[in-house]
Amino acid sequence: MTAIGTGSTVAVVGTGTMGQGIAQVALVAGHRVRLYDAASGRAGRAAEAIGQRLDRLVEKGRITSQERDAARGRLSPAASLAELADASLVIEAILEQITAKQELFVALEEVVAADCLLATNTSSLSVTAVAGPLRHPGRLVGLHFFNPAPLLPLVEVISGFATDETAATTAYETAAAWGKTPVRCTDTPGFIVNRIARPFYAEALRAYEEQAADPATLDALLRDGSGFKMGPFELTDLIGQDVNEAVTHSVWQSFFQDPKFTPSLAQRRLVEAGLHGRKSGRGWFDHREGAKRPEPQTVPPRPAPEAVALHGELPRPAAVLAELIEEAGIKITREPAPGESAGFLRLPGGARLALTDGTPATSARQGDCIRFDLSLDYRAATRIALAAPQPASEADLAEAAGLFQALGKQVSVIQDVPGMLVARTVAMIVDFAVDAAARRVATPGDIDTAMRLGVNYPGGPLEWAERLGARWVWDLLDAMHRHHAGARYAPSWALGCRADLQERVV
């Protein structure tokens, strides 16, 4: 089955920001679009708002005035569901309540033709459950657009337990015909993006609760240290703390309170206080007029060491640092690593400097060692975190900071927590992605595409698994698992299998 033709009518139920955005996408693609909202007058106001957006597209040169006028002629508000009878596709974008969605689709079944495709834009509810009360659940599919729908390319096409393959294929082809990048996935809590992205928020919140650093510093480390477009605290302020926390809670409940998805108490308190982020004026940061954004904690300039000793080889994710040190004019002498320990740098004062491996800097088993955090791109990174053992020598810490400053990096010192921040966050995202691929939630290619386009990640998590090494990720999570109660950091069996396979290939 092919995409729904442009001669067909598309109906959108729900005229909030998302509903208007979806309607605009279908309209610009050439369809007749009917808008319906249960609240009197809202559909008409939404049609006017979409018309104003079309005006702005003309001003920006993205469509012609003739195309705008034609699109306006194809757009009409509907006063009742009965006016959607000729629709070939109805997309629901109402409130995230399972009962409300079920009642809507049951009512739509009485109105639309038998071959009309029904779609829900839910971001966190079960597509299977939404379709449950229908006489013909096979024609209902998930079409999860990302906000703002006219700008963001990703659309998750979700097949519920009863969804017909032809319905899913038609939805996929239609989204592609609208200029979107669709990905297919099964009906799992959070689908692709909201499932795999949970650690990006959760680990930063957990590090904050562990007093590793303040929100501004944690944001800077993920943003400036590894290329994420926004830090988790500023991003949840933009999304809305209430919205982000609700999705986290929904996914956690849907996975039967799996500890890997446990919500944050700190975020819950923020929501309870009404500090929802930008829309309320305050969240993790103060967004009121005239408020000054706090700066990340940054070590003042320190002198660079003239030479360091490299014992063994640095772990695969940090191997490029040896090149960067030499390029900065700092001499490297090479020594064997003692015993079976991972490679590390010896500073002039005698301290060891090593990539975090999931153990704390203060470790009786591994020996005290200043830890530096992971970066997904050490060349491009502009900030690196250090964690010092207790008690720490200020002179040793100054040498470590001076070394990274000589490489052009700003340095933030955080408290000694296992896995630091970037490493634990990336490792958990990789594990979630590998697990999702193994469970056939989506294909590996669709998973990486979804995370790049849906949340602007600087790469795909399965690509990271190859580049960093699945064994390094597994070892880091296993070490964190031994330092924390519960199963939050227990690496998945799928990650272990991937690590074994990579080693056999090598």
Side-chain angles (χ1 to χ4, degrees):
M1 197 168 184
T2 58
I4 291 172
T6 53
S8 303
T9 297
V10 173
V12 178
V13 180
T15 58
T17 301
M18 181 58 78
Q20 290 182 32
I22 295 170
Q24 180 181 328
V25 170
L27 195 64
V28 172
H31 292 274
R32 293 189 302 274
V33 175
R34 291 207 175 90
L35 291 170
Y36 174 76
D37 198 291
S40 178
R42 284 194 65 178
R45 292 192 294 273
E48 292 175 4
I50 293 170
Q52 292 169 2
R53 291 199 186 98
L54 295 175
D55 290 340
R56 289 195 289 273
L57 291 179
V58 172
E59 293 169 3
K60 295 176 181 178
R62 295 180 182 172
I63 62 174
T64 66
S65 57
Q66 291 81 7
E67 289 170 331
R68 173 199 59 196
D69 294 342
R72 279 180 166 172
R74 296 193 301 271
L75 177 64
S76 60
S80 68
L81 284 181
E83 295 181 40
L84 311 184
D86 66 336
S88 296
L89 167 62
V90 181
I91 304 176
E92 164 274 314
I94 65 173
L95 70 168
E96 283 285 273
Q97 290 183 2
I98 187 71
T99 302
K101 292 180 187 292
Q102 290 172 332
E103 290 174 351
L104 170 64
F105 284 114
V106 167
L108 281 168
E109 268 197 315
E110 301 300 322
V111 171
V112 299
D115 61 350
C116 177
L117 182 64
L118 303 179
T120 173
N121 184 59
T122 183
S123 61
S124 60
L125 299 176
S126 165
V127 172
T128 302
V130 171
L134 299 184
R135 294 194 307 272
H136 303 290
R139 62 169 164 172
L140 189 139
V141 65
L143 269 180
H144 180 214
F145 290 77
F146 287 74
N147 197 26
L151 296 180
L152 293 186
L154 185 70
V155 177
E156 291 178 320
V157 181
I158 305 105
S159 292
F161 185 78
T163 301
D164 292 335
E165 178 63 24
T166 53
T169 300
T170 299
Y172 181 97
E173 296 295 342
T174 299
W178 290 357
K180 297 301 181 181
T181 303
V183 293
R184 297 186 67 163
C185 64
T186 59
D187 186 19
T188 186
F191 312 136
I192 302 175
V193 172
N194 277 328
R195 172 181 176 148
I196 296 173
R198 293 344 295 163
F200 181 72
Y201 313 107
E203 291 311 308
L205 289 164
R206 184 73 170 254
Y208 169 79
E209 291 172 343
E210 294 169 350
Q211 302 295 300
D214 61 277
T217 300
L218 295 170
D219 271 356
L221 289 170
L222 282 159
R223 185 182 60 241
D224 305 338
S226 273
F228 290 94
K229 297 299 182 184
M230 298 180 74
F233 294 93
E234 59 186 339
L235 181 55
T236 52
D237 266 3
L238 177 63
I239 295 169
Q241 297 300 332
D242 54 336
V243 174
N244 182 261
E245 200 259 354
V247 172
T248 298
H249 196 271
S250 173
V251 172
W252 174 62
Q253 290 282 25
S254 297
F255 276 112
F256 306 104
Q257 301 184 1
D258 187 325
K260 289 180 179 292
F261 297 92
T262 301
S264 162
L265 180 59
Q267 188 177 40
R268 177 95 287 269
R269 293 291 179 259
L270 209 66
V271 172
E272 290 173 339
L275 303 179
H276 295 169
R278 288 181 179 273
K279 62 186 177 183
S280 67
R282 290 175 60 199
W284 291 111
F285 304 108
D286 191 339
H287 301 280
R288 294 171 294 184
E289 186 176 352
K292 185 178 180 181
R293 179 67 63 90
E295 295 293 327
Q297 297 296 319
T298 304
V299 176
R302 302 295 189 218
E306 294 182 0
V308 294
L310 173 57
H311 290 258
E313 298 294 332
L314 291 175
R316 179 173 169 182
V320 72
L321 280 177
E323 295 177 21
L324 297 181
I325 292 169
E326 291 181 321
E327 290 169 9
I330 298 172
K331 182 181 179 182
I332 294 184
T333 59
R334 299 182 181 270
E335 305 287 345
E340 297 182 359
S341 64
F344 62 89
L345 295 165
R346 180 80 70 181
L347 298 170
R352 291 194 306 159
L353 177 64
L355 175 64
T356 181
D357 63 356
T359 62
T362 307
S363 174
R365 183 172 64 87
Q366 299 282 358
D368 288 355
C369 180
I370 298 174
R371 295 286 183 187
F372 63 87
D373 206 351
L374 174 70
S375 173
L376 290 170
D377 187 343
Y378 283 102
R379 283 192 176 276
T382 59
R383 184 177 294 272
I384 294 292
L386 296 177
Q390 297 296 327
S393 161
E394 288 296 329
D396 289 339
L397 193 55
E399 285 184 342
L403 174 63
F404 279 104
Q405 288 169 347
L407 306 185
K409 321 299 181 189
Q410 292 182 300
V411 175
S412 296
V413 176
I414 68 173
Q415 293 300 312
D416 182 18
V417 294
M420 300 186 72
L421 176 65
V422 178
R424 71 199 276 180
T425 300
V426 169
M428 287 289 280
I429 292 171
V430 167
D431 192 32
F432 277 33
V434 170
D435 181 64
R439 295 175 188 270
R440 298 187 179 179
V441 169
T443 66
D446 276 358
I447 287 172
D448 276 356
T449 296
M451 302 314 291
R452 285 195 304 267
L453 299 183
V455 278
N456 255 327
Y457 279 6
L462 296 171
E463 169 200 327
W464 297 341
E466 293 299 315
R467 185 152 51 87
L468 300 174
R471 175 59 62 194
W472 181 84
V473 176
W474 193 96
D475 286 344
L476 183 134
L477 291 176
D478 185 55
M480 292 193 66
H481 176 52
R482 294 196 301 271
H483 281 86
H484 290 83
R488 180 185 181 99
Y489 298 106
S492 67
W493 67 267
L495 183 63
C497 292
R498 193 181 188 95
D500 291 342
L501 180 61
Q502 282 184 356
E503 288 172 349
R504 285 200 298 270
V505 170
V506 172

